[in-house]
Amino acid sequence: MVKYKFHDQYTLSETAEALGKQAMKLGLIPSLVVRVFPDSRQFLVPGENESEPLTPEQAYLWFRKLVEEYGQNN
């Protein structure tokens, strides 16, 4: 059975932030900025082509893809 890492918007944001920090430690992204608002978070990766902030959903999917691809190549 699959164990999900998130169950709501808050835990999705926490998971996305953890994946972003992991991607940064692996050298896949140069840095990570997380803007925390009372009801949501925005994720920014300075120096990337996308200047728009990412939603928690977008950040989770992108960071997960980066980390998984890194794991497959190493």
Side-chain angles (χ1 to χ4, degrees):
M1 185 164 203
V2 176
K3 182 178 177 185
Y4 294 100
K5 296 182 180 185
F6 53 88
H7 304 283
D8 56 19
Q9 188 69 21
Y10 178 80
T11 54
L12 172 63
S13 296
E14 290 288 316
T15 305
E17 188 171 342
L19 281 170
K21 288 178 181 179
Q22 185 179 2
M24 195 170 56
K25 284 181 184 177
L26 294 172
L28 303 172
I29 58 174
S31 62
L32 175 65
V33 176
V34 181
R35 293 181 184 161
V36 180
F37 297 100
D39 61 344
S40 66
R41 295 182 194 187
Q42 290 180 340
F43 296 83
L44 297 127
V45 179
E48 289 296 316
N49 293 336
E50 292 185 30
S51 59
E52 296 278 326
L54 300 172
T55 64
E57 294 86 356
Q58 292 169 322
Y60 171 79
L61 292 172
W62 186 46
F63 296 148
R64 187 184 77 185
K65 180 182 175 187
L66 286 174
V67 171
E68 286 177 355
E69 286 178 356
Y70 178 84
Q72 291 174 357
N73 292 331
N74 287 326

